[in-house]
Every structure is written in structure tokens, then in C-alpha cells.
Amino acid sequence: MPLIPKTMSGILIEETGGVEVLQWKTDLPVPELKEGEILVRNEFIGANYIDIYFRTGLYPSSTLPFITGKEAAGTVVAVHPSLPTSLSSTTSSSTPHIKPKEGDRVAYTSDATYAEFTALPVALAHILPPSLSTETAAAALLQGLTALTFVREAAGLPRPGTSASAGGALLGVSSGPWALVHAAAGGTGSMLCQMLAVHGARVIGTCGGREKCEAAKRNGAQWVVDRKAEDVVARVKEITGGKGVDVIFDGVGKATFEADLEMVARKGTVVVFGNASGPVPPVDLFKLGAKNLKLMRPRVFGYIETQEELDSYTRELFDLLLAGKVKVKIHEVYPLKDVARAHSDLEGRKTTGKLLLKV
């Protein structure tokens, strides 16, 4: 068993606000394991917009002070002695969740990841295949699960290879449903474009600037609209022959929502999952009636709530990464103590791809 120190480095938030509230500490207590938990020495930590929402107080934390962060990957250094060798899923027909042991590399979604060590329920940790790097796993897990579950559950696209699937690919244009992804060069946006292409959709991405548009094309968007140089609504209607898009994935929020209602096709779906420009104001439901629209505000954790759901989607994500059908672009790896710069870059829309923090 490796020697575990009593204190650790990490980022503490004592009050919500701007990046100045992200305090680098070197004397935080290492978490003590509770029943059913493992202790992970984090190597790479994902930086996500949800971390910013908790930092600013848009999503209130139950306690202050707190350590933020929702995903990481590293090595198991301790296991609570009461844990069994495997954990049963919610149905007897499912493959049991294999308990990680000391020394295993794992990736996980849990709280308090902006630190050297994190204690988490063993059910949330997934052992990494030998050929999947810890860095890639940390970069892909949360946004990959978000994209995969939203495409499958919110948009209702069938799994590739099934009889109902359009059988899409990253290259070429399918005859599947029209899908639009805002901020298509970002971490979640790039994952959504690739997942949609794999599922056979015709993918339109919106970005700001030529460089980001080129990145979106590499991510599987067959058409890209530059919101800085083009009328997005008019261009999308032109691309779709006036039909509009069947599903819109909007992580921008306030700045793009009204345009979404114009671009979406009759009987289409608008999936709002983020607030990069601010939360969407209260919606007059009568606006949805003109086209019989569906409006959703999903959370990834609502789709991976059961052990079976979490395990199944995680295995599928790992398979897509190992097969090269979905790739993750890492914008930059920041030292954990420089997290304020990472948040500033993310909020300033200066990034393409995933931001990682290294312990």
C-alpha cells in the first residue's frame, strides 16, 4: 500500500465569485475513506463549464468552503476494506461493476476533483483499458458521456449498427436527421459533432471565427456557419432547403435561444444544456406550439443514474475512443495551481477542445 500523506494540494473556494476565489492550498486534509469508497490520486482533472457555474454560484453548492470539479483520472491508492470484489448492477442480466483495486488506473465523475486526492464511491470509478491513456480518459469522460447520452436519449438517435440507424460516419454526408451544434469547436461541442456523425446525422456546427470553424469540420460537422461573419438563421435555412434542423444542441443559452426557435424544424427538438452566455429567460410555452416543438433541459447525470446506465454508456464511450471513431482534442494542460487561467480562457471563449488540469 502506498504511503498516503495527511495533507494535499488543491483548490479551495471559500466564497463564490470570479476567478480570484480559486485559492491554491497545499495543506488541505486528505479525505478519509467512508464505507463503499476508494481514494484516487488524481493525475489529470477535467475543467468544465459546470465548474464555473459552481464557482460563480449559478449552481449553488450545499456547503462553503468547498473543492469544485466533476471529473478526473488517476490511480487508486486505497480501498475501503468493506468493499466486495464486484458490485451488482440494477438488473441481474448486466455485467457486474468490477471493483478497482490499489494500483488500477481509473476515470470517474464525482465531486471535489480539483485536488491531489479524491475519495469517491467505488461505483463511480471505471478501470481504464491498457491502451487508453489516463490523459485521454480524463479529457473525454464527462463531455463524452454528455454527448453520447444526449444524442441517444434526448435526440432519440438509435445506436449505430442497429436496423433503425442511418449508419453514419465521420466523413461524408448521410441521409439522417438534421442536427445543429452551437459552439461546435468547444469540448462538448466537438464531442457532440462526432457522436452525431457516428449516429448518422447530418451535422451543422456554428462557431465564431475561421480557426474554430475549421476545427468543427475536423470534428465531424459537414457544414459550418461562422456566427461572426454570417447570418446563422438564414444560412441554416439555406443549408436545409428551408426545412430547418430536427434537433439543436445549445450549450450557449441566452444569446442563441431565440434563433434556435427560428431554425428548428416542425416537430423538432431544442436541447438547451448550458449557459455560456447566461441562462435562458423564462419561456412562453405558446412559442412552442407554432411548430409543435419539444424543449429539453437535460443533465447528463439524469441519464447515468443507475449502475447499469453508467457502466453501459462508459463502456461504449471507451470503445468509441479505442476504435478511433471519436477523438478528443486537448486544448491545453494547465498546472492545477493555474486553474484561474484555465477558467478565464474557457469563459473568454479562447479555447478549442478540452482543458485539462495536471496535479
Side-chain angles (χ1 to χ4, degrees), residues 125-138:
H126 292 270
I127 300 172
L128 300 184
S131 54
L132 186 62
S133 73
T134 310
E135 183 178 29
T136 297

Side-chain angles (χ1 to χ4, degrees), residues 170-241:
L170 283 178
L171 298 177
V173 179
S174 78
S175 58
W178 288 101
L180 182 142
V181 178
H182 287 300
T188 303
S190 64
M191 280 286 185
L192 277 166
C193 286
Q194 293 180 80
M195 292 292 184
L196 285 162
V198 167
H199 284 74
R202 291 177 284 183
V203 186
I204 304 171
T206 74
C207 299
R210 180 178 298 179
E211 181 181 349
K212 290 188 176 183
C213 286
E214 289 300 320
K217 288 180 182 178
R218 293 192 296 270
N219 292 333
Q222 291 105 9
W223 296 267
V224 181
V225 182
D226 186 345
R227 59 177 175 78
K228 290 185 176 180
E230 301 177 87
D231 182 323
V232 175
V233 173
R235 179 65 179 130
V236 168
K237 289 184 176 180
E238 179 186 353
I239 292 169
T240 60

Side-chain angles (χ1 to χ4, degrees), residues 8-12 28-29 31 39-40 42 45-46 51 54 61 63 65-72 108-120 336 359:
M8 65 178 183
S9 57
I11 302 296
L12 190 68
L28 297 172
L39 186 68
V40 176
N42 297 319
I45 301 161
D51 307 338
F54 278 104
S61 173
T63 59
F66 67 96
I67 298 171
T68 191
K70 284 291 186 181
E71 71 177 332
Y108 65 91
T109 56
S110 189
D111 296 326
T113 63
Y114 278 23
E116 188 178 356
F117 295 92
T118 300
L120 63 138
L336 178 56
V359 180

Side-chain angles (χ1 to χ4, degrees), residues 5 19 36 40 63 108 115 132 142 157 211 228 231 245 266 269 313 315 318 320 327 332 345 347:
V19 295
V40 176
T63 59
Y108 65 91
L132 186 62
L142 184 56
L157 272 64
E211 181 181 349
K228 290 185 176 180
D231 182 323
V245 289
R266 183 179 68 89
T269 302
Y313 275 122
R315 284 195 299 267
F318 287 173
L320 289 168
K327 299 178 180 179
E332 186 174 342
D345 289 349
E347 288 180 287

Side-chain angles (χ1 to χ4, degrees), residues 2-24:
L3 182 64
I4 300 172
K6 296 293 185 183
T7 59
M8 65 178 183
S9 57
I11 302 296
L12 190 68
I13 295 177
E14 294 182 312
E15 60 179 349
T16 56
V19 295
E20 69 279 356
V21 306
L22 296 164
Q23 301 180 62
W24 168 250

Side-chain angles (χ1 to χ4, degrees), residues 244-282:
V245 289
D246 298 296
V247 59
I248 294 176
F249 293 93
D250 189 345
V252 177
K254 182 179 180 180
T256 50
F257 181 72
E258 290 299 326
D260 292 343
L261 299 183
E262 293 186 60
M263 295 184 291
V264 68
R266 183 179 68 89
K267 297 193 291 185
T269 302
V270 178
V271 182
V272 179
F273 64 93
N275 317 282
S277 67
V280 173

Side-chain angles (χ1 to χ4, degrees), residues 52-70:
I52 293 173
Y53 300 155
F54 278 104
R55 188 205 78 212
T56 61
L58 179 64
Y59 292 178
S61 173
S62 58
T63 59
L64 279 171
F66 67 96
I67 298 171
T68 191
K70 284 291 186 181

